[in-house]
Amino acid sequence: MQFPAKMIHSLFLVNSSGDIFLEKHWKSVVSRSVCDYFFEAQERASEPENVPPVIPTPHHYLISVLRHRIYFVAVIQSEVPPLFVIEFLHRVVDTFQDYFGVCTEAAIKDNVVVVYELLEEMLDNGFPLATESNILKELIKPPTILRTVVNTITGSTNVGEQLPTGQLSVVPWRRTGVKYTNNEAYFDVVEEIDAIIDKSGSTITAEIQGVIDACVKLTGMPDLTLSFMNPRLLDDVSFHPCVRFKRWEAERILSFIPPDGNFRLLSYHVSCQNLVAIPVYVKHNITFREGSSQGRFELTLGPKQTMGKGLEAVLISSQLPRGVLNTNLNPSQGTYNFDPVTKLLSWDVGKINPQKLPSLKGSMSLQAGASKPDENPTINIQFKIQQSALSGLKVNRLDMYGEKYKPFKGIKYMTKAGKFQVRT
Amino acid sequence: MTDSKYFTTTKKGEIFELKAELNSDKKEKKKEAVKKVIASMTVGKDVSALFPDVVNCMQTDNLELKKLVYLYLMNYAKSQPDMAIMAVNTFVKDCEDPNPLIRALAVRTMGCIRVDKITEYLCEPLRKCLKDEDPYVRKTAAVCVAKLHDINAQLVEDQGFLDTLKDLISDSNPMVVANAVAALSEIAESHPNSNLLDLNPQSINKLLTALNECTEWGQIFILDCLANYTPRDDRESQSICERVTPRLSHANSAVVLSAVKVLMKFMEMLPKDLDYYGTLLKKLAPPLVTLLSAEPELQYVALRNINLIVQKRPEILKHEMKVFFVKYNDPIYVKLEKLDIMIRLASQANIAQVLAELKEYATEVDVDFVRKAVRAIGRCAIKVEQSAERCVSTLLDLIQTKVNYVVQEAIVVIKDIFRKYPNKYESVIATLCENLDSLDEPEARAAMIWIVGEYAERIDNADELLESFLEGFHDESTQVQLQLLTAIVKLFLKKPTETQELVQQVLSLATQDSDNPDLRDRGYIYWRLLSTDPVAAKEVVLAEKPLISEETDLIEPTLLEELICHIGTLASVYHKPPSAFVEGSRGVMHKRLPARTGSGEGTECPDVGNAAGGSAPEAAPSIIPSQGDLLGDLLNLDLAPPTTPAVLLPLLGGDIGGSPAMGAGFGAAPAVMPASLNAPVGGGLGDLFDLGGGVGMPMGAYIPPKTVWLPAMKAKGLEISGTFARRAGVIQMELVLTNKAMSVMTDFAIQFNRNSFGLAPAGPLQVLTPLGPNQTIEVSLPLSTVGPVMKMDPLNNLQVAVKNNIDVFYFSCQYPISMLFVEDGKMERQVFLATWKDIPNDNESQFQIQDCHLNSEAASNKLQGSNIFTIAKRTVEGQDMLYMSIKLSNGIWVLAELKVQAGNPNYTVSSGTRRDR
C-alpha cells in the first residue's frame, strides 16, 4: 500500500560500485528495488557525473546528487520541488563532513548510529527540521575520540538533553552562551574564475564566482558590520540568513550576528559584462597532419593581468583525441604525465616565473594509418593567486558591537581558477 | 571504537543474542544492543522480530536510548500493530514531560506510527501539544496534524485539528507559522477543493511577516503558498512583489526559485509601463544567472525552469547569452539544456557569437551533444532569418568534415531550412548529393529523398538517385518508404516521360508487396490520382507547402502559463502539467496566471490560452433535437452535404457514386481502403436502395454534419469534432482529432459513461500513429449497444472521456436517435395495425415538419435509408398518409403516421410508442 507522501520519503546512499550501503525511511518503507531505476540510469551514463539528477519511476521520483563519490538518492512520491530536495541533500553532505571530517562510505558506516540520529533530526515527516550545524551539534554531539572513550567509561551519551537554544530564537543560527578565551574573526575572500578562451586567445566568456567564508569564534552575542571599498561590484549576491538584507539594500553594509564557527557569509557573482581580467595566457600549437602518424604539440604559458601577484600551483590538463597513442614531450619545468588509456595529459607546472615562461613541447604518436582526429583538445588550467581578489573586491573595515572585548580580525584574499578552459 | 562493529555480527542466532542483550539489566548493554538493532535496520535487515524487546526499553530516562527506540518503533510499528499499542502509554506520558525536547520528540514519533488503532489515543496529547507554551513543541505538533491526516483524515476533521492549525498561522513564532503552512499545504493537496488555505490580505500579511524570520525551508513553504494567492489588484501585487524580492538573494537555491515563481506570477498583473515592472525584470536576471554557477544538479533544475522563463519573458535574460555557453566538462544533461536555451535566446544581435559556439560544439566528442549542436544551427537559421545564410555555410563546412553523424544531422536540418526559405539555398544541393552514400539513418535518408523529390527538376540525375534507394525498398523504414513513394511521384509529375517505369515500380512495391497500411493507402491514392486526373494529381502532390513555423518546439501557451505557476516543481522539470504525471493526481487544480486588473476594477476572468482552437464554438451542441427536428433533418438530407465522403471524392475520381467497386486499373482488392469509402457516398436519392432493400446492405442513412465536441482550448490543444453514422448496421462514431498543440500526442483511448441506450465502443480507438502538431486524423469507432444502461437527460446524451499522453478530457455530445434505428424495423402490416390501435392516446405526439419539398414517394425512400420503414400508404382527400415503423436498438418500437399534402411543404407527423412485449 502506498501513502501519499509529501516531501522526502526515503534516502538511499549508493557507493561507486553500485551498492546501497545505507537506507533511511521517513515515512513508510520503500523497497530498495526502487533504486534499480537509478542503477539503470547509472549504467547508461558514460561518466558517473552524467547520471541525470531527476529520474522518474512508475510510482516515485528519484532525485540524486553525487558528492565524494557517493550518490545520495532521495525518493519522493509526489510533487516536491526538486531544488528543495537537492539543497537538503547538500545539507546532509555538509553535515556529515562537518561531523566526521570526511564524507566517505567508511566514515558513514563507522558512525551509522549518529548518521541515523542526524537524519532523523534533520527531517520530520519529510519536512526539514534542524539543518543548521550549530543546532544539530547541540542535539547530537559530534563523535570525537575523547568523547567515545569518556562515554564508554561513564556511560553518558552523545545526545543533548537540552532543547537547543538557537532553535527558536530570532537568531536560530547561533547558540547562546558561547565562550572563547581567544576571540577571533577571520574572513577569506575566495574568487574562482570561470572562463572560456578561444583558439585565437580572445575571451568568449569569463565570470567570477566569489565567496566570503568566515571563521568566527567570538564570545557572547557579537554584532558585526563589514563594509567594502567597492561594494558596487556586488550586484548579484546570495547571503547567509544572518545578514540583514535591509541594511545592505540601503547602505551596502553587511550587518549580522554571526553563527558560531565556520560558515559562508555570502557568495557573489561578477559576470562578463564587467570585463573580467584574465590572469594567464596560453600559446598553443597542436597539429595533426593527414597521412602522418605524428602530431606536433607545443604549449607555452605566461602571466597576464595578475595585478603584480604571482601565479602558483599551475596545473594543465587536457583530454587528447582518442587517436593519440602516446606522447613524447619535454617540459621546461615541472612534470608531465600522459595516460595512454584515458588519453589524459596533465602537466604540473608549479609557479610561473615571468622571466622564464614554462613550455611543454614535443610530438604525439598517432595510430598508423588512421585518419587525423576530428576533435580539438581543450586545455584546462588550474592556478592560484594569493593575496588578491581578481574582481578587485576589497574589505574596508570590520567592526564589532554588542560585546566589550577586542577581537583579533583578519581578512585573506585568494583567486583560483574554476572552470578555466582554453580551446585549441 | 566505531559503529562498524555493529555490522560484523552476521553469524547465526544473531537475533537470539540481541534479544538476550536487550533484556539485560545493564543500561549500557541495552543501549549497545539497541544500537546494533538500528544498525541492522539501516542496511535493510529485518529485525522486526525483536519488537517487544525493543519496546520494553522505551521507559527510560536516557534520551539517546529513547530516541533510538523511537526510531525503531517508527520503522516497524506498522508490521506489529498489536505490540505498538504497548507504546501508547509512554507516548501519552512523554507528552507531559517537563522537558520540551521530550514532549516534542513524543509528538513527533506518535505521528509516524501509522497504525489505525493507535491514532485515536493520540488525539488528546496532540491537542495539548498544539497549544503548548513552547513554540518548539507547537511547531512539531503542527506537522503531526499533517501526519495524522494522512492516516485518518476524518478523525482530524472531527477533532477540529484543522481549525487549530489555521489558528497557528497567526502564531507569534515564525517557525510555527511556517510549519503550519507546510502542514496545511500538504493537507490541502489531498483536498483540492477545500478552502483550507483561505488566503486573504490579512493572512497574506502574516505570511509575509513570517517569511522574513523563519528558516530557509519555512520560506519555501510560505513562498509556495503565496504563489497560490491571487492579489486583488496591481497595487497589492506590487506590494507583495516588493516584500518577496529580498528572497532572491538567499543562499538556498530552492528559496530563490520559489521567489522567482511568485514574482513571475504576480508580475503578470503589473502594468508594463510601470517603473517597478522594469525594475523587477532587472532584478530577476542575476539570481537566475547565479543558479548556473551552482552544482550541476542544481544547474539542471534551474536550466529546465529558465527554459520556461525565457519562453514567457525572453527580455529577462536576453543579455545573458554567455552564461549558457557550454563548458566541455559540464555533465551531458547540463550541456543539452544549455544548448536549448541558447537557441531560445538567439537573436539578430547575438547570432554571430552563438553560431561560432555551436560550430565549436559540433567538433566535440560526445555524439549526442554534437548532434544536438548541429540541429541547433538549423534552428537558428529558421529563427533568425538574417543568419540563415551563415548557418547554411556553417552546415556545409560541417558536411565537409565527413563525420558521418554530423553529415546526417546537417542534411536533416537543411531540409527544414529549404522549407522555411524556398528557392534560396538550392545551390547547395550538389554538395548534399555527394554524401548520399554515407547516409544510414532513416531520418537523414528521408530528408535527402525529400530534397531530391522536391527539387527533382534541378537535379539532372534525380531519377538515378531515387532509383538507387528503391533497390532496397523493403529494408527501409516506413518513414523512408513513404518519403520515397512521394518523391518518385513528384519526380514523375515533373518529368513524366523518363520516369514512367520508376513510378510504376514504386507504386507496385508500395501497394502490392507491403504490409504497411499507411504505405498501401498512400500508394493507392497516388495511383488512382495519376490514372484518373494527372492535372489534379499535380495540384495535390506538388501543392505549395505551408512554411514551417519559426519555432516548432515552443511550449503551447496554455501549458506554458500553467508551468510558470509551477516553477521549481517536478512539473517544471518535465515540462508537463502536474496532472499528467503525479501519482494518483487527486483532481489537481489547474493553475493559471492572473489577469491584469486595475485597482478599481473587479477581477476579470483570465483570458488566457486563446492560441488554441480559436474558431471552435464555445457551447457544445446543447440544443436537444426534438423528435420533430430530427425527422426534419432526415428529410433534409440533400441540403446538408455529407462531409466525410466529400473530402475524399476528388481523390478517388468521379465514378464512386455509381459503383462501389474500384476502377478496373486496380489489381488488388480495395480491402485496405478506409471504411468510410466503402459506404455509398454522396447523398443523392439515386444512391438509396429500393424499398425491399435487404437488411445489412449499406444504407444511405442520415449523417448529421460534424460538430466540434471538444474545443482545443479545453483539452490542451486537442480538438475533437465528429458525428455519428450508421453504416451496414453498425453504429459508427466518426471522430476527427486535430492536434493544435505544439507537442506530439500519442496513446489515445476512449471510454463512454453509461448512457440511455447502452452505447459502448466495440473496439479500441484506432489511432496508430502519433498525432503531430497541426495534424488531423479521422477515426471511425464502431459502437455496440450492449454496454451498461443509465437514463440520461437529454435521452440521447453521451458522456465521453478521451485520453492521450497528456491528460484525460471529458466532453458530452448528442447522437441522433436515428442511429439506433435497426435494419429489421419493418413491422408486419397486421401487427402494425393491431399495435397502432393498442397505443394509448397519451403516448402519442404530433408535430409538423416544415418546408419539405419532397413528394411522399421520395420521402418514404429517403426515410428508408435511415431504417424508417413505410408499412402502408393511403391517399385520403389528396393527402398521402404514410404509416411507418421504427425499431430501436433496445427493442422499442415506434410507429408513425406521416401526412403529406401535395403542394404543401409542411408535413404532419403523429407518432407513438409502446414497449414491445
Side-chain angles (χ1 to χ4, degrees), chain A residues 3-4 6-7 21-24 27 29 32 49-56 58-59 61 64-67 76-84 86-88 90-91 109-114 116-117 120-121 124-125 127-129 131 139 148 152 155-164 167-168 194 196 199 204-205 207 209 236-239 241 245 249 269 272-273 322 374-375 378 380 419 421 423, chain B residues 1-4 6-7 28 31 35 38-39 41-44 62-64 67-68 71 74-75 78 99-101 108 112 114 134-136 139-140 143 147 150 173 175 182 186 189 216-217 220-221 224 246 249-254 257 283 286-287 289-290 293 295 297-298 300-301 319-320 322-323 325-333 357 360-361 363 365 403 568-571 573-574 581-583 586:
Chain A
F3 299 102
K6 183 84 176 167
M7 302 311 162
F21 66 92
L22 188 112
E23 56 184 287
K24 163 77 189 153
K27 299 207 135 191
V29 176
R32 53 165 69 194
E49 53 269 27
N50 281 349
V51 178
V54 186
I55 300 169
H59 301 288
Y61 287 84
S64 61
V65 300
L66 174 64
R67 293 289 175 274
I76 59 173
Q77 201 173 11
S78 60
E79 183 62 271
V80 179
L83 280 188
F84 173 100
I86 295 174
E87 284 280 2
F88 176 78
H90 284 167
R91 223 50 64 84
K109 277 187 162 170
D110 280 350
N111 296 288
V112 69
V113 175
V114 176
Y116 232 65
E117 286 170 338
E120 188 57 36
E121 214 49 68
D124 175 24
N125 194 40
F127 299 121
L129 197 63
T131 52
L139 286 167
T148 322
T152 340
S156 67
T157 78
N158 59 348
V159 169
E161 302 263 342
Q162 290 302 311
L163 187 64
Q167 182 77 296
L168 291 155
D194 289 355
I196 304 177
K199 281 190 206 21
I204 293 179
T205 69
E207 48 188 352
Q209 319 290 347
D236 181 2
V237 279
S238 309
F239 295 117
F245 189 73
E249 286 275 270
H269 178 96
C272 35
Q273 265 100 17
R322 268 165 295 187
D374 306 312
E375 70 264 23
T378 301
N380 239 359
K419 286 184 171 180
Q421 312 184 341
R423 293 177 182 160
Chain B
M1 280 300 280
T2 67
D3 292 348
S4 50
Y6 302 129
F7 291 104
E28 204 41 42
K31 200 166 87 188
K35 279 193 177 178
I38 300 284
M41 195 170 87
T42 58
V43 289
N62 185 315
L63 189 60
E64 187 182 17
K67 273 192 171 177
L68 291 172
L71 267 177
M74 283 185 246
N75 228 15
K78 185 80 194 164
N99 184 345
L101 200 57
R108 204 171 107 201
C112 296
R114 313 187 54 96
D134 195 307
Y136 182 75
K139 83 168 195 167
T140 315
V143 176
K147 295 181 198 168
D150 197 17
N173 187 295
M175 252 69 86
E186 189 188 338
E189 190 115 313
E216 49 197 316
W217 313 109
I220 300 170
F221 296 133
D224 285 348
S249 302
H250 202 286
N252 185 320
S253 60
L257 207 54
K283 282 196 170 168
V289 171
T290 302
S293 53
E295 290 81 355
E297 296 94 353
L298 291 174
Y300 171 74
V301 177
H319 300 302
E320 304 290 346
K322 285 185 172 176
V323 300
F325 285 179
V326 171
K327 306 211 169 71
Y328 90 97
N329 45 2
D330 282 335
I332 181 75
Y333 56 82
E357 279 296 302
E360 191 69 41
Y361 304 160
T363 63
V365 193
V403 178
T569 65
L570 278 173
V573 172
Y574 283 98
F581 63 92
V582 171
E583 166 101 332
R586 298 161 292 244

Side-chain angles (χ1 to χ4, degrees), chain B residues 420-433:
Chain B
K420 172 76 181 177
Y421 309 108
N423 305 316
K424 248 182 134 171
Y425 300 110
E426 283 73 16
S427 52
V428 309
I429 289 176
T431 322
L432 302 186
C433 290

Side-chain angles (χ1 to χ4, degrees), chain B residues 74 180 366 432 530 594 608 715 865:
Chain B
M74 283 185 246
D366 194 311
L432 302 186
L530 293 173
V608 288

Side-chain angles (χ1 to χ4, degrees), chain B residues 364-674:
Chain B
E364 278 218 28
V365 193
D366 194 311
V367 178
D368 284 341
F369 181 58
V370 170
R371 282 174 184 275
K372 195 152 180 188
V374 177
R375 288 220 172 191
I377 297 174
R379 279 167 68 189
C380 284
I382 289 162
K383 191 173 175 208
V384 185
E385 184 161 1
Q386 294 82 354
S387 75
E389 195 155 350
R390 214 173 329 178
C391 293
V392 171
S393 76
T394 307
L395 287 169
L396 286 179
D397 287 352
L398 289 174
I399 288 178
Q400 299 304 345
T401 65
K402 304 276 178 200
V403 178
N404 186 283
Y405 51 86
V406 173
V407 173
Q408 308 213 35
E409 289 297 327
I411 286 180
V412 171
V413 294
I414 286 179
K415 178 203 76 179
D416 287 343
I417 296 176
F418 281 176
R419 282 206 58 186
K420 172 76 181 177
Y421 309 108
N423 305 316
K424 248 182 134 171
Y425 300 110
E426 283 73 16
S427 52
V428 309
I429 289 176
T431 322
L432 302 186
C433 290
E434 288 164 19
N435 292 286
L436 213 60
D437 300 333
S438 62
L439 309 180
D440 53 9
E441 288 161 25
E443 202 179 355
R445 287 175 82 85
M448 193 63 219
I449 292 169
W450 183 87
I451 293 171
V452 174
E454 189 67 18
Y455 298 100
E457 67 273 29
R458 305 179 191 213
I459 305 171
D460 294 334
N461 59 344
D463 49 344
E464 284 169 34
L465 294 177
L466 292 176
E467 201 171 356
S468 68
F469 281 104
L470 204 55
E471 280 158 21
F473 188 78
H474 289 301
D475 302 326
E476 298 284 1
S477 72
T478 312
Q479 188 185 11
V480 179
Q481 289 177 333
L482 286 168
Q483 204 54 260
L484 193 55
L485 173 61
T486 306
I488 292 180
V489 171
K490 280 181 188 165
L491 174 70
F492 172 70
L493 290 167
K494 288 173 179 176
K495 302 179 179 172
T497 46
E498 310 136 49
T499 55
Q500 208 157 357
E501 211 172 300
L502 192 61
V503 80
Q504 265 165 5
Q505 207 182 336
V506 77
L507 285 176
S508 77
L509 278 171
T511 53
Q512 285 165 25
D513 303 340
S514 170
D515 298 330
N516 186 311
D518 284 345
L519 188 64
R520 283 195 306 223
D521 276 2
R522 198 186 280 195
Y524 278 125
I525 289 173
Y526 283 143
W527 199 328
R528 188 79 189 151
L529 209 49
L530 293 173
S531 60
T532 51
D533 191 348
V535 181
K538 218 165 186 158
E539 274 170 29
V540 170
V541 179
L542 302 179
E544 206 160 295
K545 277 160 282 296
L547 292 181
I548 55 172
S549 68
E550 224 165 68
E551 285 197 67
T552 41
D553 60 335
L554 280 179
I555 295 174
E556 185 221 336
T558 35
L559 180 59
L560 181 61
E561 301 257 331
E562 190 173 357
L563 289 176
I564 289 285
C565 296
H566 285 99
I567 283 177
T569 65
L570 278 173
S572 70
V573 172
Y574 283 98
H575 293 186
K576 284 180 184 171
S579 49
F581 63 92
V582 171
E583 166 101 332
S585 64
R586 298 161 292 244
V588 179
M589 282 199 290
H590 293 281
K591 293 183 186 168
R592 286 278 172 273
L593 291 177
R596 189 162 297 133
T597 46
S599 329
E601 304 162 36
T603 317
E604 278 173 53
C605 185
D607 182 23
V608 288
N610 48 6
S615 64
E618 242 317 302
S622 59
I623 313 139
I624 310 142
S626 72
Q627 201 87 351
D629 292 340
L630 196 75
L631 286 175
D633 276 351
L634 291 173
L635 290 165
N636 279 328
L637 199 59
D638 280 359
L639 306 175
T643 43
T644 328
V647 179
L648 288 158
L649 257 181
L651 287 178
L652 290 162
D655 61 341
I656 274 195
S659 147
M662 286 295 156
F666 280 68
V672 291
M673 288 294 171

Side-chain angles (χ1 to χ4, degrees), chain B residues 94-388:
Chain B
D94 283 355
C95 280
E96 312 246 333
D97 197 279
N99 184 345
L101 200 57
I102 292 186
R103 294 204 296 278
L105 186 64
V107 78
R108 204 171 107 201
T109 314
M110 258 162 44
C112 296
I113 297 183
R114 313 187 54 96
V115 178
D116 280 335
K117 284 187 199 163
I118 290 189
T119 43
E120 48 194 287
Y121 295 104
L122 304 183
C123 291
E124 274 325 299
L126 177 58
R127 196 187 314 283
K128 265 184 214 147
C129 289
L130 280 167
K131 302 243 156 94
D132 200 284
E133 53 172 19
D134 195 307
Y136 182 75
V137 180
R138 289 204 299 280
K139 83 168 195 167
T140 315
V143 176
C144 186
V145 175
K147 295 181 198 168
L148 198 58
H149 186 272
D150 197 17
I151 306 167
N152 190 341
Q154 196 56 47
L155 185 75
V156 168
E157 276 163 51
D158 294 346
Q159 296 279 334
F161 285 143
L162 292 183
D163 292 323
T164 323
L165 207 49
K166 280 190 222 170
D167 293 342
L168 287 184
I169 290 193
S170 317
D171 199 279
S172 56
N173 187 295
M175 252 69 86
V176 178
V177 178
N179 273 17
V181 168
L184 280 171
S185 306
E186 189 188 338
I187 295 172
E189 190 115 313
S190 52
H191 290 269
N193 300 318
S194 69
N195 206 10
L196 272 179
L197 277 163
D198 180 23
L199 297 176
N200 52 49
Q202 288 77 40
S203 58
I204 289 292
N205 201 23
K206 278 177 204 148
L207 291 182
L208 287 169
T209 312
L211 182 62
N212 287 328
E213 291 168 16
C214 67
T215 66
E216 49 197 316
W217 313 109
Q219 293 185 12
I220 300 170
F221 296 133
I222 293 181
L223 287 168
D224 285 348
C225 176
L226 276 176
N228 289 327
Y229 177 65
T230 308
R232 285 161 309 169
D233 53 41
D234 52 350
R235 258 183 305 174
E236 190 185 4
S237 187
Q238 180 176 346
S239 88
I240 295 176
C241 287
E242 280 166 358
R243 294 177 72 176
V244 168
T245 32
R247 298 301 120 209
L248 293 176
S249 302
H250 202 286
N252 185 320
S253 60
V255 174
V256 174
L257 207 54
S258 288
V260 169
K261 162 164 60 188
V262 174
L263 296 173
M264 282 292 286
K265 190 178 171 189
F266 289 6
M267 223 172 147
E268 197 73 5
M269 291 185 71
L270 301 176
K272 281 210 165 64
D273 47 358
L274 195 71
D275 283 348
Y276 182 70
Y277 180 84
T279 318
L280 201 52
L281 277 184
K282 277 196 208 102
K283 282 196 170 168
L284 276 169
L288 291 174
V289 171
T290 302
L291 289 179
L292 295 181
S293 53
E295 290 81 355
E297 296 94 353
L298 291 174
Q299 276 189 51
Y300 171 74
V301 177
L303 285 165
R304 291 296 285 173
N305 280 283
I306 289 173
N307 199 328
L308 296 172
I309 293 168
V310 295
Q311 287 186 57
K312 179 74 190 158
R313 297 192 182 281
E315 62 270 33
I316 294 177
L317 288 168
K318 68 178 171 202
H319 300 302
E320 304 290 346
M321 171 63 90
K322 285 185 172 176
V323 300
F324 299 102
F325 285 179
V326 171
K327 306 211 169 71
Y328 90 97
N329 45 2
D330 282 335
I332 181 75
Y333 56 82
V334 167
K335 283 184 176 174
L336 296 177
E337 290 306 317
K338 280 187 172 175
L339 203 51
D340 224 32
I341 295 171
M342 279 172 69
I343 298 159
R344 297 215 192 279
L345 289 175
S347 67
Q348 204 183 336
N350 56 24
I351 193 73
Q353 265 185 334
V354 173
L355 271 181
E357 279 296 302
L358 292 176
K359 199 175 170 186
E360 191 69 41
Y361 304 160
T363 63
E364 278 218 28
V365 193
D366 194 311
V367 178
D368 284 341
F369 181 58
V370 170
R371 282 174 184 275
K372 195 152 180 188
V374 177
R375 288 220 172 191
I377 297 174
R379 279 167 68 189
C380 284
I382 289 162
K383 191 173 175 208
V384 185
E385 184 161 1
Q386 294 82 354
S387 75

